[in-house]
Amino acid sequence: MATKKKSRTKAPPRKPAKNKSSAKKARKKTASKHPARKKAANKSAAGRPARKKTAKKRLAIKISPASPRIPSKQPIIVQPGPPPGSVPPVEEPSRREEAIGIVIHYYSHLGVAVVQVNKGSLSAGDTVHIVGHSTDITQTITSMEYEHQHVDQAGAGQSVGIKISDHAREHDIVYLVK
């Protein structure tokens, strides 16, 4: 026996209801959905109504007046200082020192600082004080060179290489100790 295939036909699209009573039913259905959701939300799992949420009491923070030892009319002044464990500040040069130049380069493998002399003159045997952010060196000049030639004196406008014992950095200030 041969089976017949059923043909599927599409159902015609639904048209909006023209009847007033069917429109009212549609409105009732949509209106009734919302209160049901509210009722379900207000019931707990056991079917009892849920507890009402009560407002949490906020703690009132009362600001007490200043202690009797400190008058409240005068502000407290706190002096800023270095944080604990920090490097102490670099001391200012004494009045016996005169700034004569700055370090423009440092060759670490040679231990030589290139100093741009801006004021006065610098000669072998002078004591210099090199001061910077993390540099504080005081020493006597034993060796000084200008364009790979040993020189004994350098004037303003010259850049000379000075052999120093410790690490210097660019922009460190060079003072001549008198």
Side-chain angles (χ1 to χ4, degrees):
M1 203 162 105
T3 59
K4 281 188 172 181
K5 289 185 179 178
K6 293 182 181 179
S7 63
R8 292 187 182 180
T9 58
K10 290 186 178 178
R14 292 187 180 181
K15 294 182 181 177
K18 292 182 181 178
N19 191 354
K20 288 184 180 179
S21 63
S22 62
K24 285 182 183 177
K25 288 180 184 177
R27 271 189 252 142
K28 283 184 181 179
K29 285 182 181 177
T30 57
S32 65
K33 287 182 182 177
H34 298 292
R37 288 183 194 162
K38 287 181 183 177
K39 288 178 185 177
N42 288 339
K43 289 188 178 182
S44 65
R48 296 182 303 244
R51 293 182 188 171
K52 289 184 179 179
K53 292 183 179 179
T54 57
K56 293 181 180 179
K57 292 182 181 179
R58 295 186 181 186
L59 297 175
I61 300 173
K62 294 181 181 179
I63 300 173
S64 62
S67 70
R69 294 182 185 175
I70 301 172
S72 61
K73 292 181 181 178
Q74 296 176 353
I76 299 171
I77 299 170
V78 179
Q79 295 288 337
S86 66
V87 178
V90 177
E91 294 180 17
E92 291 294 320
S94 67
R95 295 188 186 266
R96 301 180 312 130
E97 297 178 357
E98 180 185 0
I100 59 164
I102 61 169
V103 176
I104 57 173
H105 192 71
Y106 178 73
Y107 294 101
S108 59
H109 61 284
L110 298 173
V112 172
V114 180
V115 176
Q116 172 71 44
V117 181
N118 296 328
K119 181 180 173 184
S121 64
L122 189 61
S123 56
D126 287 346
T127 303
V128 291
H129 185 195
I130 302 172
V131 180
H133 177 71
S134 59
T135 309
D136 191 10
I137 305 166
T138 303
Q139 76 173 46
T140 303
I141 297 172
T142 56
S143 175
M144 185 166 53
E145 288 188 4
Y146 177 72
E147 294 184 1
H148 303 287
Q149 299 295 319
H150 180 75
V151 292
D152 291 328
Q153 192 172 13
Q158 281 187 315
S159 297
V160 291
I162 300 172
K163 183 84 170 164
I164 57 175
S165 61
D166 203 1
H167 188 84
R169 287 155 185 84
E170 291 181 8
H171 308 292
D172 287 351
I173 300 171
V174 180
Y175 295 93
L176 179 64
V177 178
K178 294 180 181 179

